[in-house]
Amino acid sequence: MGKMWEGRFSKALDQTADDFNSSISFDSKMFRQDIKGSMAHAAMLGAKEIISVEDANTIIGALQGILEDIEKGTLKIDMTCEDIHMFVEAELTNRIGDVGKRLHTARSRNDQVALDIRMYLRDETNKVIELLKDTVQAIIEQAQENKDAILPGYTHLQRAQPITFGHHLMAYAMMLLRDISRLKDALKRMNFSPLGSCALAGTTYNTDRNFTAQKLGFDGITANSIDGVSDRDFCIELASAFSLIMMHLSRFSEEIILWSSWEFKFIELDDSFTTGSSIMPQKKNSDMAELVRGKTGRVYGDLMALLTMLKGLPLAYNKDMQEDKEAIFDSVETVQKCLEVFAPMVRTFTVCRDNMYKAAQKGFINATDLADYMVKKGLPFRTAYKTVGQIVAYCIENNKVLDTMSLEEYKKYSDLFEEDLYNEISLETCVSKRISEGGTSVESVEKQIKIALESLKND
Ligand code: ARG
């Protein structure tokens, strides 16, 4: 297809160069935003009498037709066009002749593309927020159901203190809730319209940038036209928020993979979210969680690509910036795909409470509580800590655990030990006594669930 800009040139663009230059294979995704942006622009041109109202209406009507035809599938996007902006304009002129050629008055592809990406990312990020909410909801459901299931809590992947499964799960709910607020925050900063910045310097026409901004759902206009067409900081901010989401999902995935293993068997993934092996009949693999963990690297890569692409660019627009789209599109789509599979995977796993409990029983997970028992009887914590350390060493040597030591044995270490110590160090007591805010007791977890539900409602 002939180029819009061919007037200045005496030779056609080399085919390889043309292919290299083209972005329509990936920016055609923005056809809706491009057309809606153009409709608002045409309405503004009419309202400000830069073109006649009649021409504006003809353009708007034709653009509406193009949008509907693409959505219906009766109009195929011509992949030989340089980009989606060129395609829509060419199709418009195709349909209404010279009137269509008036649309690009007081506009450049530079402000057009800066507008389209913002609108596209606004739509897609809102989808991510909905998916995150659903994932938090799924976590809350599991936490509610398993708020009293006891398992070992780990530090250094060593059994540390007994916790409830609800408590552990709600940690992820809090992380994802922060991710939601991070996205909303980024959206707020992004939601200013660059349309009307034109190529970089603004325009001599008497345009009304607030008119289009308002029509397109922006909170205002970018205050500097060079900034409006030059920066893609909003892409980077979102890519960084997406990277954090992936980091959270990846840590959760790692635990789901561990918990599903025979060594742990704390949870059983639903058959509909696991796969088998082609050779080992016994296998049930946690592929979904592994893929989420694997795709995290990809999203980090997109963030790096964007940061690096922009770092050396002089103002204003440079063609390098066309590279923003594949990176940010990949990142938002990957996050969406991961969340789409993650929420139902979490919602449908079953919890093996007995295995969790057994894992918490072995070892010295209640050692802190034994020290606390002595502290409550008057001993300074450091002294109690040392005594319990000696008791643990004795147990290891004699193949015992704290619960199986006799009172006589305990008495050798301190007169403070009485029969009531056994109740104090039972797993149930260890958990139910941790009533501090944010702690692991059922009561505390219920509060955390309430906070999370409240936050979901207000968002
Ligand atoms: N396809 C281009 C991009 O995505 C549109 C902007 C082109 N502007 C220009 N001055 N060549 O960045």
Side-chain angles (χ1 to χ4, degrees):
M1 139 157 338
K3 298 285 178 222
M4 297 270 181
W5 34 261
E6 69 193 359
R8 189 207 175 287
F9 294 82
S10 54
K11 247 171 129 182
L13 182 63
D14 173 85
Q15 189 54 52
T16 320
D18 197 8
D19 292 345
F20 187 64
N21 195 45
S22 164
S23 56
I24 196 154
S25 63
F26 46 86
D27 67 19
S28 56
K29 281 188 207 313
M30 307 192 297
F31 73 89
R32 267 188 209 92
Q33 291 76 12
D34 192 74
I35 294 172
K36 285 188 178 151
S38 288
M39 287 165 82
H41 182 64
M44 186 279 292
L45 292 176
K48 297 296 288 180
E49 293 175 350
I50 298 168
I51 64 174
S52 71
V53 173
E54 199 192 334
D55 282 353
N57 287 337
T58 308
I59 292 173
I60 293 168
L63 285 169
Q64 182 63 34
I66 294 174
L67 180 58
E68 284 165 15
D69 291 349
I70 297 177
E71 275 175 345
K72 272 192 297 207
T74 51
L75 172 62
K76 292 266 166 283
I77 295 175
D78 178 358
M79 290 295 163
T80 65
C81 286
E82 187 179 328
D83 53 32
I84 187 63
H85 327 293
M86 293 296 207
F87 168 74
V88 172
E89 205 185 323
E91 179 61 24
L92 181 70
T93 309
N94 216 6
R95 291 188 180 199
I96 58 173
D98 277 353
V99 177
K101 296 184 184 167
R102 295 189 189 279
L103 170 65
H104 211 54
T105 315
R107 188 177 70 168
S108 152
R109 266 189 303 159
N110 296 349
D111 57 342
Q112 199 179 346
V113 73
L115 175 81
D116 292 2
I117 314 174
R118 280 172 169 87
M119 288 170 65
Y120 184 81
L121 288 177
R122 192 172 60 187
D123 293 345
E124 297 306 309
T125 303
N126 279 322
K127 288 186 205 160
V128 174
I129 291 174
E130 287 313 306
L131 288 164
L132 276 170
K133 283 186 180 175
D134 186 45
T135 311
V136 172
Q137 190 63 47
I139 294 172
I140 291 175
E141 286 161 27
Q142 285 286 10
Q144 183 70 37
E145 198 155 321
N146 298 290
K147 59 187 173 202
D148 56 349
I150 295 175
L151 78 162
Y154 296 82
T155 62
H156 314 271
L157 205 55
Q158 307 272 345
R159 289 170 193 157
Q161 290 175 339
I163 55 169
T164 55
F165 194 47
H167 188 216
H168 194 105
L169 288 175
M170 286 311 290
Y172 286 114
M174 299 305 166
M175 296 177 206
L176 298 185
L177 283 172
R178 273 198 303 283
D179 288 329
I180 293 176
S181 89
R182 227 183 312 273
L183 290 178
K184 294 202 156 178
D185 198 42
L187 282 181
K188 254 189 254 157
R189 258 185 301 284
M190 179 175 77
N191 206 28
F192 290 86
S193 168
L195 188 60
S197 299
C198 304
L200 75 162
T203 179
T204 53
Y205 293 99
N206 178 29
T207 53
D208 183 350
R209 292 187 54 203
N210 284 301
F211 178 102
T212 42
Q214 212 194 344
K215 250 192 176 343
L216 297 169
F218 286 95
D219 297 323
I221 59 170
T222 53
N224 177 297
S225 62
I226 299 177
D227 170 49
V229 292
S230 296
D231 210 354
R232 296 290 185 268
D233 55 353
F234 56 91
C235 294
I236 294 176
E237 213 175 332
L238 286 175
S240 127
F242 294 148
S243 295
L244 285 174
I245 295 171
M246 290 306 294
M247 181 272 291
H248 289 146
L249 293 183
S250 186
R251 291 185 78 173
F252 200 173
S253 295
E254 170 68 13
E255 298 212 287
I256 287 173
I257 295 159
L258 277 174
W259 293 338
S260 312
S261 70
W262 278 112
E263 283 70 13
F264 279 79
K265 259 290 162 265
F266 285 180
I267 63 166
E268 174 98 30
L269 287 172
D270 193 78
D271 278 359
S272 52
F273 288 93
T274 38
T275 53
S277 152
S278 61
I279 172 168
M280 297 164 280
Q282 83 283 13
K283 293 279 290 251
K284 190 171 165 185
N285 299 329
S286 40
D287 283 21
M288 306 308 132
E290 288 165 39
L291 269 173
V292 170
R293 189 178 58 186
K295 283 176 191 290
T296 303
R298 224 178 128 130
V299 175
Y300 290 1
D302 292 329
L303 171 64
M304 280 307 128
L306 286 165
L307 280 167
T308 315
M309 180 272 286
L310 275 176
K311 75 178 266 293
L313 296 188
L315 302 182
Y317 177 85
N318 301 267
K319 191 76 173 197
D320 314 45
M321 288 158 75
Q322 181 165 286
E323 289 291 308
D324 60 357
K325 280 170 280 302
E326 277 168 297
I328 192 66
F329 292 175
D330 180 70
S331 127
V332 70
E333 280 159 25
T334 305
V335 172
Q336 287 171 354
K337 280 189 202 142
C338 289
L339 287 167
E340 272 162 19
V341 76
F342 207 88
M345 177 181 70
V346 167
R347 193 167 267 129
T348 54
F349 68 55
T350 46
V351 173
C352 312
R353 285 164 165 258
D354 289 351
N355 294 343
M356 285 182 173
Y357 193 82
K358 269 184 223 142
Q361 271 177 325
K362 293 177 211 151
F364 302 94
I365 204 161
N366 43 8
T368 317
D369 299 86
L370 186 62
D372 286 343
Y373 169 87
M374 300 182 85
V375 168
K376 279 175 201 150
K377 300 221 165 179
L379 216 59
F381 180 76
R382 273 288 158 244
T383 319
Y385 173 95
K386 196 169 168 200
T387 308
V388 174
Q390 287 161 351
I391 296 172
V392 167
Y394 169 83
C395 283
I396 291 170
E397 213 163 284
N398 295 281
N399 208 13
K400 296 187 174 209
V401 289
L402 298 178
D403 316 64
T404 54
M405 288 246 302
S406 70
L407 190 55
E408 290 77 71
E409 286 173 300
Y410 270 116
K411 288 267 191 212
K412 279 186 213 149
Y413 290 91
S414 166
D415 283 340
L416 294 175
F417 289 122
E418 306 285 349
E419 195 59 42
D420 60 347
L421 82 89
Y422 294 103
N423 180 49
E424 279 306 291
I425 63 169
S426 81
L427 290 179
E428 285 73 13
T429 312
C430 294
V431 163
S432 66
K433 283 208 165 166
R434 287 204 161 72
I435 49 167
S436 56
E437 286 208 49
T440 207
S441 71
V442 173
E443 212 176 294
S444 300
V445 172
E446 271 165 357
K447 264 194 213 152
Q448 293 160 40
I449 291 176
K450 225 170 116 201
I451 291 169
L453 285 171
E454 204 57 42
S455 165
L456 280 183
K457 221 176 21 194
N458 295 338
D459 269 337

